[in-house]
């Protein structure tokens, strides 16, 4: 039996889970004082605070870092990488320190895991970062020279639900083709060809709108808005990423609330909800062309997939393409643990950050 500590930092908390092989025996969302966090200029500067908070939380449960066989940490925003498990090397830490691909709470995870690893002689890995990039070259072309389409997605959960679906039906995840729609506060929809995420639409910059992201927009109207003088650059980014989508129409990011309003006769709420469903289905249809129609499963996952109404409406539009599987919620902690187990059991090799995927 292997005991695994999974670490997943968020903006104001750090989620930790303890696994004995596949069995989760403990999970806790370790909260951090917001005022303390505000004192740091960069996320990685929070390492000491978060490390001590995790250590204390485990101690209260009768556990120490020395009790673990492996540390599995969420990958930060790195340069483009293949999917999989990565050793934490100096290049990775340097890139995270300099935020070469952007600031994110998960950037500190590798530093915490590395510290535990060195102090207690335990292997530590990061797994399936947001920047997993296995896109085909043709998919990178945007339509305007100088702007390239990028692969940023909920890769950790996307890969997890592919593994679980393959296990459920008794085949290797590399034998089939999938379209996975991760439906949460942000939405990412991926075409997965025999295990490779060959194309991704993320609501950060394209694809369907989400509860708070605008998704793809009419270009000329967007340009007019940017130059209207009403918003600064920072305000526009906030408007598109955090105040777009459902929120911009209905002033709420709670999809459950919107669904209840729609069922109660709020026609505006129903229209916006159905429009999001329409755009999700439309993007799934686009991804079917990426796979040349050879789609074995469509998987709906993430928090929004808990809604039977939304999933059934999507299924009505895309069910002709392939079998639709519903895997509601996020299983990121289990995804971290299972990836570590695949390494321990010799089913997956640890990769080195660098090589062809790093400039």
């Amino acid at each position: 039996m292997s005991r695994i500590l999974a670490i997943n930092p968020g903006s104001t908390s750090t989620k930790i889970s303890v696994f004995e092989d596949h069995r989760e025996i403990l999970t806790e969302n370790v909260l951090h004082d917001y005022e303390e966090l505000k004192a740091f200029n960069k996320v990685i500067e929070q390492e000491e605070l978060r490390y001590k908070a995790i250590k204390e939380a485990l101690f209260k449960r009768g556990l120490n870092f020395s009790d673990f066989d492996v540390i599995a940490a969420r990958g930060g925003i790195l340069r483009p990488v293949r999917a999989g498990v990565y050793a934490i090397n100096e290049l990775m830490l340097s890139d995270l320190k300099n935020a070469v691909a952007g600031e994110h709470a998960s950037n500190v995870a590798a530093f915490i895991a590395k510290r535990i690893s060195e102090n207690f002689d335990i292997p530590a890995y990061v797994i399936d970062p947001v920047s997993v990039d296995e896109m085909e070259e043709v998919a990178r072309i945007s339509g305007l020279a100088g702007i390239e389409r990028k692969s940023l997605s909920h890769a950790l959960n996307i890969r997890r639900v592919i593994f679980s679906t393959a296990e459920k039906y008794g085949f290797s995840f590399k034998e089939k083709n999938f379209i996975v729609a991760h439906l949460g506060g942000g939405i990412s929809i991926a075409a997965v060809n025999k295990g490779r995420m060959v194309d991704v639409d993320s609501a950060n910059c394209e694809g369907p709108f989400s509860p708070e992201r605008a998704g793809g927009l009419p270009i000329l109207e967007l340009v007019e808005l940017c130059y209207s003088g009403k918003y600064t650059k920072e305000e526009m980014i906030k408007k598109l990423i955090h105040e777009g989508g459902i929120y911009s129409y209905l002033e709420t990011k709670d999809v459950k609330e919107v669904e209840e309003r729609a069922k109660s006769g709020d026609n505006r709420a129903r229209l916006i909800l159905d429009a999001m469903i329409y755009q999700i289905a439309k993007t799934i249809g686009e991804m079917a062309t990426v796979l040349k129609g050879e789609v074995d499963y469509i998987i709906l996952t993430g928090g929004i997939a808990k809604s039977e109404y939304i999933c059934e409406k999507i299924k009505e539009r895309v069910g002709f393409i392939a079998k639709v599987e519903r895997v509601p919620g996020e299983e990121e902690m289990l995804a971290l643990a299972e990836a570590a187990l695949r390494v321990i059991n010799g089913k997956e090799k640890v990769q080195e950050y660098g090589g062809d995927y790093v400039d």
Side-chain angles (χ1 to χ4, degrees):
M1 181 191 72
S2 298
R3 183 174 280 180
I4 303 159
L5 174 62
I7 301 173
N8 187 354
S11 57
T12 59
S13 65
T14 303
K15 190 172 185 180
I16 58 171
S17 292
V18 176
F19 289 84
E20 291 181 347
D21 288 345
H22 296 273
R23 188 169 67 92
E24 187 177 56
I25 63 170
L26 164 65
T27 189
E28 183 171 339
N29 208 27
V30 181
L31 300 176
H32 308 297
D33 184 89
Y34 181 65
E35 292 303 318
E36 283 190 89
L37 294 179
K38 278 196 341 185
F40 299 105
N41 294 318
K42 289 189 173 185
V43 170
I44 64 160
E45 294 172 1
Q46 301 169 9
E47 176 198 339
E48 177 75 11
L49 182 150
R50 291 183 187 248
Y51 177 91
K52 287 183 175 178
I54 294 169
K55 183 178 180 180
E56 184 178 337
L58 290 171
F59 184 75
K60 287 179 179 177
R61 301 293 191 105
L63 292 167
N64 295 296
F65 288 132
S66 58
D67 295 326
F68 296 95
D69 300 298
V70 64
I71 311 299
R74 184 181 179 188
I77 304 183
L78 297 163
R79 301 180 197 235
V81 294
R82 297 178 182 88
V85 179
Y86 284 83
I88 302 169
N89 60 22
E90 290 306 314
L91 177 59
M92 179 186 292
L93 295 176
S94 175
D95 280 353
L96 292 170
K97 181 179 180 180
N98 295 312
V100 294
E103 281 281 5
H104 192 270
S106 59
N107 285 8
V108 73
F111 288 86
I112 297 169
K114 181 71 169 177
R115 182 171 176 177
I116 298 170
S117 174
E118 290 178 342
N119 288 348
F120 297 91
D121 194 25
I122 304 166
Y125 311 114
V126 300
I127 293 137
D128 288 332
V130 173
S131 54
V132 165
D133 183 351
E134 300 174 326
M135 286 172 63
E136 298 175 342
E137 288 305 306
V138 69
R140 301 182 190 281
I141 306 302
S142 69
L144 184 64
I147 297 178
E148 183 178 89
R149 293 185 67 239
K150 292 181 171 63
S151 178
L152 294 170
S153 70
H154 300 84
L156 187 60
N157 194 53
I158 287 172
R159 294 244 301 160
R160 160 67 192 147
V161 296
I162 288 173
F163 288 134
S164 64
T165 300
E167 184 178 353
K168 177 180 177 180
Y169 291 106
F171 56 80
S172 166
F173 75 99
K174 292 185 177 180
E175 293 176 4
K176 306 289 184 180
N177 290 342
F178 303 84
I179 298 170
V180 183
H182 178 104
L183 311 175
I187 288 175
S188 50
I189 300 179
V192 185
N193 184 359
K194 305 293 189 292
R196 289 184 60 241
M197 294 172 56
V198 294
D199 203 348
V200 172
D201 263 3
S202 166
N204 273 11
C205 52
E206 55 186 347
F209 68 82
S210 76
E212 63 179 11
R213 291 168 173 76
L217 295 172
I219 296 173
L220 296 181
E221 286 85 347
L222 179 58
V223 171
E224 288 289 339
L225 190 60
C226 289
Y227 283 89
S228 66
K230 296 179 181 179
Y231 308 100
T232 64
K233 177 183 175 182
E234 291 73 23
E235 288 170 341
M236 273 305 306
I237 291 172
K238 182 179 179 182
K239 190 174 183 67
L240 295 172
I241 305 299
H242 300 294
E243 297 176 351
I246 286 177
Y247 180 82
S248 70
Y249 291 103
L250 302 174
E251 296 186 340
T252 181
K253 300 178 184 182
D254 187 338
V255 174
K256 189 175 181 180
E257 176 192 329
V258 174
E259 189 174 334
E260 289 172 354
R261 283 166 58 177
K263 289 178 180 177
S264 299
D266 185 335
N267 291 331
R268 177 70 168 167
R270 181 170 293 280
L271 175 63
I272 302 308
L273 185 62
D274 286 348
M276 184 180 73
I277 293 166
Y278 174 88
Q279 290 194 8
I280 292 167
K282 185 177 176 181
T283 305
I284 289 172
E286 291 174 357
M287 289 301 176
T289 69
V290 171
L291 298 170
K292 300 178 181 178
E294 297 176 3
V295 185
D296 296 294
Y297 293 92
I298 296 167
I299 307 176
L300 307 179
T301 187
I304 294 176
K306 293 176 182 178
S307 167
E308 186 173 342
Y309 173 82
I310 292 173
C311 289
E312 284 302 311
K313 285 292 183 180
I314 294 172
K315 187 176 179 180
E316 285 176 12
R317 291 186 178 275
V318 304
F320 73 95
I321 298 171
K323 179 178 175 61
V324 178
E325 283 285 308
R326 183 178 165 199
V327 188
E330 297 181 17
E331 295 186 333
E332 292 183 338
M333 306 310 280
L334 181 58
L336 292 171
E338 290 189 339
L341 273 177
R342 289 194 297 273
V343 170
I344 291 169
N345 296 330
K347 295 180 179 179
E348 186 166 337
K349 292 182 179 179
V350 177
Q351 301 182 66
E352 192 73 15
Y353 180 69
D356 295 340
Y357 274 69
V358 177
D359 295 334

